[in-house]
Amino acid sequence: ELKVEQNPLFLSMQEGKNYTIYCNYSTTSDRLYWYRQDPGKSLESLFVLLSNGAVKQEGRLMASLDTKARLSTLHITAAVHDLSATYFCAVAPTGTASKLTFGTGTRLQVTL
Amino acid sequence: EAGVTQSPTHLIKTRGQQATLRCSPISGHTSVYWYQQALGLGLQFLLWYDEGEERNRGNFPPRFSGRQFPNYSSELNVNALELEDSALYLCASSLRQSSTGANVLTFGAGSRLTVL
């Protein structure tokens, strides 16, 4: 069974600081997704990473994928309050049109 | 373009009752997914429908069931409700799944089910 682990589960950081969220998964995958969820809202797609070494950036967020290490990172640069949300990674096993398995989520709180 | 729409937004039921949740996918999307987001448990995969057929099912008891209609909308039914069924139920849709390609899921706002 595919397992997806994120850490940390909770992250409180000051505005202007940098930090990285980690997503480890237990089986081979060539598709990894990052989603954002605001409190009481639905999930919003942030990034899709489709190959080893893929890197995507949007504003202060940058995601990368290392399929050999079965690891994805979401790096936050110079955090701002608007980034406060819960971030999920999700993985689909290689070569399958299969269901996504989500990580536990990382709740990010950016304080002044 | 309308997104994924779910109804009802909120639903309150008592133990033993049945709940029906509905989902309309984005126009052109044929795949519909259901996820349960219970407090502290993250997103748990429930069901995946494509072209009217159930393609995959998560580790949930048979009292969780659903169907997909010819217009690709979907229903999730939960029979014999239990207190632990209280959760946010999220529906997502995508274009037809393939073993390659992005297959990005677009989520609806969810239906919050409370079982008393």
Side-chain angles (χ1 to χ4, degrees):
Chain A
E1 182 186 336
L2 170 59
K3 293 192 187 311
V4 182
E5 291 183 351
Q6 283 181 241
N7 68 83
L9 296 182
F10 179 74
L11 175 58
S12 179
M13 57 191 297
Q14 287 184 315
E15 277 201 334
K17 299 291 187 185
N18 304 330
Y19 209 83
T20 299
I21 298 170
Y22 297 88
C23 174
N24 291 274
Y25 52 94
S26 62
T27 191
T28 57
S29 173
D30 51 13
R31 276 179 289 158
L32 189 133
Y33 306 78
W34 285 97
Y35 283 86
R36 167 184 171 145
Q37 186 178 35
D38 291 296
K41 301 285 180 64
S42 189
L43 278 76
E44 173 193 351
S45 176
L46 292 174
F47 300 109
V48 182
L49 302 168
L50 295 178
S51 60
N52 187 41
V55 177
K56 293 252 180 107
Q57 182 162 7
E58 179 76 33
R60 300 174 189 274
L61 300 177
M62 183 174 70
S64 65
L65 178 62
D66 181 343
T67 57
K68 290 184 172 60
R70 298 181 187 173
L71 170 69
S72 179
T73 60
L74 180 66
H75 187 72
I76 302 151
T77 302
V80 292
H81 182 71
D82 284 353
L83 290 179
S84 296
T86 300
Y87 293 85
F88 292 93
C89 64
V91 177
T94 297
T96 66
S98 185
K99 61 180 174 72
L100 289 186
T101 298
F102 281 79
T104 46
T106 296
R107 187 173 157 218
L108 171 66
Q109 186 174 60
V110 181
T111 58
L112 295 171
Chain B
E1 177 187 88
V4 178
T5 57
Q6 291 187 244
S7 64
T9 308
H10 293 90
L11 188 60
I12 299 174
K13 294 283 187 178
T14 56
R15 276 191 340 186
Q17 285 189 312
Q18 180 203 32
T20 298
L21 309 177
R22 297 179 177 84
C23 172
S24 292
I26 289 174
S27 178
H29 284 190
T30 61
S31 275
V32 171
Y33 297 76
W34 288 96
Y35 282 83
Q36 182 195 65
Q37 188 175 28
L39 201 61
L41 291 180
L43 277 88
Q44 305 292 319
F45 168 75
L46 269 164
L47 290 158
W48 167 28
Y49 292 96
D50 184 66
E51 295 284 353
E53 301 277 335
E54 183 180 300
R55 302 294 183 183
N56 206 336
R57 183 182 177 84
N59 295 326
F60 280 85
R63 57 192 186 82
F64 287 83
S65 65
R67 54 181 171 165
Q68 187 179 34
F69 299 99
N71 65 353
Y72 304 116
S73 67
S74 177
E75 261 182 15
L76 174 68
N77 295 295
V78 188
N79 293 319
L81 285 166
E82 300 178 3
L83 296 178
E84 51 266 34
D85 296 334
S86 294
L88 180 67
Y89 289 84
L90 290 165
C91 172
S93 74
S94 75
L95 294 169
R96 173 174 292 180
Q97 294 289 295
S98 68
S99 58
T100 58
N103 294 334
V104 177
L105 270 60
T106 302
F107 283 83
S111 292
R112 185 163 294 284
L113 172 64
T114 301
V115 182
L116 302 175

